[in-house]
């Protein structure tokens, strides 16, 4: 058995648009990752708790409700609070450029907007994950 | 990777992150994982392990979630280990059992961990058994283990449990027939979920008929329970049935017999997989291997002849040691 890269795909907030999250989860699976899918309407606490219990390397957050600044900053704070900032966080959804700048400033590794080929997301995670441990 | 004693220290203090990391080390079979198992071994032995199995889509995850909530209400410390299949082609997996965790997810006495079967030969059962050990040492009193009830791997996981609950649903009569030879033989409790659906009487009758063929036991009668896990109907009865089976195992002395057999089986499985690793190492150092494989590919050598040739080489290597 080998060490697999584990990714948590999470859907915080109240929007029910999970197609994107499911497509990305599938792309990671096909690239040989282990994907934990949380399902809809997860609170930041639930997401971070799942990340701890499953010992994941990265968290991918899909959000289309417009509450991204709030949700991401909660998640980043909770990771810090639990001393697990080494988990990489990336995101996808309808997120304006200005907000992308803000999200990166609080430690989100990358935001993938609409139209991003799934291969780009997978490659990004493959290249950048576990950097904090090295 | 070197052994990190501080990780064990944090683990024994109840740090969830340390527990999660040790599970990963054990699950991945990272070099030196045995040391972690050894370190926690003195703390193993108090958990009661309940396996829940059945075909995909019968409602196992929802049932387990409700059952876990029931045990949490009795103030027990609970873990759920959910095993999902991985792709035999890419090794990847989407583990979706967390979707069914309701509000109990953030209860500090609850721990949910997904495991993928990683398509390994028999490796799943050993890794899962060791993950059960880790949860046990983490002071979990009840450990619920979920598997899809098909295939030898899953049967092996269920054999590592104290009580096995087999879940089915109406309209899967043929499934019951097909499963007869496997998981059904080790079921201690049967659950017909989605019991509001048509055909529940037929499924019940089939299960009853099947159980009548089992050897008679005047101390324990295998129950069949009708449930609707989405509404919670029948869940209490499942919990009671688990407790009753546990009482039976404890009072009859079967529990300790079961557990010592389990240790022997774990030992044998570990030896088998270590032998396979060792042999594969020999093969990987064999310069002639590529040539044999090419000949098999070209049709110059039959797969059987090639395997005999390779075994001769391996036998020689082993004798030379």
């Amino acid at each position: 058995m080998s060490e697999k890269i584990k990714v948590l795909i999470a859907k915080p907030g109240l929007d029910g648009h999970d197609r994107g999250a499911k497509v990305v989860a599938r792309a990671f699976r096909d690239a040989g990752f282990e994907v934990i899918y949380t399902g809809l309407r997860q609170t930041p606490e639930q997401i971070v708790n799942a990340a701890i219990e499953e010992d994941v390397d990265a968290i991918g957050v899909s959000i289309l409700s417009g509450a991204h600044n709030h949700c991401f900053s909660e998640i980043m704070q909770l990771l810090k609070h639990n001393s697990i900032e080494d988990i990489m966080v990336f995101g996808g959804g309808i997120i304006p450029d200005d907000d992308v700048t803000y999200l990166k400033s609080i430690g989100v590794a990358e935001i993938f907007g609409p139209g991003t080929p799934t291969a780009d997301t997978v490659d990004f995670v493959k290249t950048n994950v576990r950097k904090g441990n090295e | 990777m070197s052994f990190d004693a501080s990780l064990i220290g944090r683990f024994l203090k109840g740090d969830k992150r340390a527990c999660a990391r040790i599970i990963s080390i054990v699950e991945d079979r990272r070099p030196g994982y045995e040391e972690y198992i050894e370190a926690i071994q003195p703390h193993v032995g108090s958990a009661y392990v309940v396996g829940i199995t059945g075909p995909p889509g019968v409602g196992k995850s929802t049932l387990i979630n409700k059952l876990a909530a029931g045990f949490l209400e009795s103030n027990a410390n609970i873990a759920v280990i959910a095993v999902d299949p991985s792709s035999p082609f890419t090794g990847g997996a989407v583990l979706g059992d967390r979707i069914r965790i309701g509000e109990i997810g953030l209860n500090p006495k609850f721990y949910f961990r997904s495991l993928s079967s990683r398509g390994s030969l028999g490796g799943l059962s050993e890794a899962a058994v060791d993950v059960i050990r880790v949860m046990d040492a983490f002071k979990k009193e009840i450990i619920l283990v979920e598997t899809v009830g098909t295939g030898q791997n899953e049967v092996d996981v269920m054999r590592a449990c104290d009580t096995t609950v087999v879940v089915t649903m109406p309209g899967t009569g043929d499934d019951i027939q097909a499963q007869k030879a496997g998981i059904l033989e080790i079921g201690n409790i049967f659950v017909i979920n989605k019991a509001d659906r048509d055909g529940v009487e037929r499924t019940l009758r089939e299960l009853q008929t099947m159980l009548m063929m089992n050897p008679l036991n005047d101390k324990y009668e295998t129950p069949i329970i009708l449930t609707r896990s989405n509404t919670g109907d029948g869940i209490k009865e499942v919990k009671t049935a688990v407790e009753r089976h546990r009482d039976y195992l404890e009072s009859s002395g079967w529990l300790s017999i079961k557990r010592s057999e389990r240790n022997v089986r774990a030992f044998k499985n570990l030896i088998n997989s270590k032998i396979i690793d060792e042999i594969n190492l020999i093969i990987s150092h064999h310069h002639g291997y590529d040539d044999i494989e090419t000949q098999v590919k070209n049709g110059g050598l039959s797969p059987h002849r090639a395997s005999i040739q390779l075994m001769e080489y391996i036998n020689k290597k082993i004798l030379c040691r």
Side-chain angles (χ1 to χ4, degrees):
Chain A
M1 288 198 184
S2 57
E3 276 178 55
K4 291 262 170 203
I5 302 177
K6 278 178 116 173
V7 180
L8 185 80
I9 298 292
K11 277 269 331 145
L14 297 176
D15 78 281
H17 306 282
D18 59 354
R19 176 59 59 90
K22 283 178 175 166
V23 168
V24 170
R26 173 82 196 257
F28 276 108
R29 185 198 77 180
D30 291 345
F33 288 62
E34 266 177 29
V35 183
I36 319 285
Y37 180 54
T38 62
L40 291 170
R41 289 182 275 280
Q42 298 289 301
T43 64
E45 287 82 4
Q46 284 173 317
I47 292 168
V48 172
N49 182 54
I52 292 172
E53 289 188 344
E54 304 285 357
D55 193 25
V56 297
D57 303 294
I59 306 175
V61 179
S62 167
I63 185 158
L64 295 105
S65 66
H68 41 264
N69 285 354
H70 171 74
C71 285
F72 274 103
S73 59
E74 287 253 312
I75 291 171
M76 300 315 287
Q77 268 173 25
L78 284 166
L79 290 179
K80 203 169 175 186
H81 177 72
N82 286 286
S83 320
I84 43 169
E85 303 102 309
D86 57 328
I87 298 177
M88 186 179 88
V89 178
F90 62 99
I94 313 286
I95 296 173
D97 288 348
D98 286 353
D99 290 347
V100 171
T101 313
Y102 165 72
L103 292 175
K104 285 189 174 175
S105 79
I106 61 166
V108 176
E110 191 56 88
I111 296 291
F112 300 96
T116 310
T118 51
D120 290 4
T121 313
V122 170
D123 284 343
F124 178 84
V125 174
K126 225 179 237 172
T127 319
N128 293 290
V129 85
R130 287 180 184 156
K131 281 225 166 126
N133 299 342
E134 283 163 16
Chain B
M1 190 192 63
S2 58
F3 178 70
D4 180 0
S6 72
L7 200 56
I8 296 289
R10 283 167 52 209
F11 172 86
L12 293 176
K13 280 192 197 121
D15 183 343
K16 216 178 206 185
R17 291 161 303 171
C19 179
R21 185 53 51 87
I22 291 174
I23 291 175
S24 298
I25 291 168
V26 165
E27 186 195 3
D28 292 343
R29 296 300 199 220
R30 295 181 198 167
Y33 79 89
E34 290 100 333
E35 286 189 65
Y36 289 92
I37 296 285
E38 279 300 297
I40 61 159
Q41 192 59 37
H43 308 274
V44 170
S46 51
Y48 193 79
V49 187
V50 183
I52 290 140
T53 188
V58 296
K60 291 183 296 298
S61 298
T62 311
L63 185 91
I64 285 171
N65 192 36
K66 294 268 163 70
L67 201 55
F71 281 114
L72 282 169
E73 268 174 34
S74 328
N75 217 20
N77 219 329
I78 306 294
V80 173
I81 301 170
V83 185
D84 263 339
S86 56
S87 159
F89 304 106
T90 64
V94 175
L95 309 171
D97 291 317
R98 288 196 83 93
I99 296 172
R100 314 271 178 249
I101 306 179
E103 57 270 35
I104 59 170
L106 288 175
N107 187 317
K109 292 194 149 184
F110 183 70
Y111 190 129
F112 187 103
R113 178 73 175 224
S114 316
L115 290 187
S116 99
S117 60
R118 302 197 177 175
S120 62
L121 283 167
L124 162 73
S125 46
E126 298 154 38
V129 170
D130 284 339
V131 173
I132 293 171
R133 262 182 233 276
V134 177
M135 291 288 197
D136 186 344
F138 198 59
K139 302 196 171 60
K140 293 294 170 192
E141 291 153 297
I142 308 274
I143 301 171
L144 304 169
V145 185
E146 173 184 358
T147 69
V148 173
T150 47
Q152 188 59 45
N153 276 345
E154 282 77 6
V155 173
D156 282 349
V157 175
M158 286 302 120
R159 289 174 80 187
C161 300
D162 299 317
T163 295
T164 299
V165 182
V166 176
V167 189
T168 184
M169 66 180 192
T172 54
D174 289 342
D175 267 22
I176 292 174
Q177 290 302 319
Q179 284 180 64
K180 226 180 209 168
I183 207 86
L184 289 192
E185 287 164 45
I186 55 167
N188 308 115
I189 295 165
F190 287 85
V191 168
I192 305 175
N193 194 29
K194 309 191 186 185
D196 53 324
R197 292 203 177 177
D198 283 348
V200 64
E201 297 83 5
R202 193 185 146 186
T203 306
L204 181 62
R205 219 168 32 239
E206 280 174 347
L207 274 177
Q208 282 166 337
T209 313
M210 199 198 64
L211 289 177
M212 280 195 297
M213 291 184 243
N214 281 2
L216 258 173
N217 181 343
D218 53 8
K219 297 265 164 39
Y220 180 77
E221 195 182 341
T222 309
I224 303 172
I225 301 163
L226 305 186
T227 60
R228 287 176 67 191
S229 55
N230 57 342
T231 60
D233 291 351
I235 302 294
K236 245 191 209 134
E237 286 77 359
V238 177
K239 183 172 174 263
T240 309
V242 169
E243 286 159 351
R244 196 174 297 149
H245 184 244
R246 180 181 187 166
D247 287 344
Y248 159 70
L249 288 181
E250 283 174 348
S251 61
S252 63
W254 268 110
L255 190 63
S256 57
I257 296 171
K258 246 183 150 171
R259 288 182 173 177
S260 43
E261 281 175 355
R262 187 180 308 159
N263 283 337
V264 173
R265 209 160 41 233
F267 162 64
K268 285 184 177 170
N269 285 340
L270 284 167
I271 281 294
N272 279 341
S273 67
K274 283 183 180 168
I275 289 171
I276 291 170
D277 288 347
E278 199 66 23
I279 300 278
N280 279 327
L281 197 69
I282 295 176
I283 294 174
S284 70
H285 290 155
H286 180 23
H287 298 298
Y289 177 81
D290 288 343
D291 184 46
I292 296 178
E293 195 183 292
T294 312
Q295 285 188 58
V296 172
K297 209 182 258 171
N298 299 339
L301 199 59
S302 79
H304 296 90
R305 178 57 55 196
S307 71
I308 291 169
Q309 270 188 25
L310 195 60
M311 272 322 288
E312 279 168 3
Y313 171 81
I314 292 165
N315 283 333
K316 243 182 251 160
K317 276 279 159 190
I318 293 171
L319 288 176
C320 287
R321 284 188 170 186

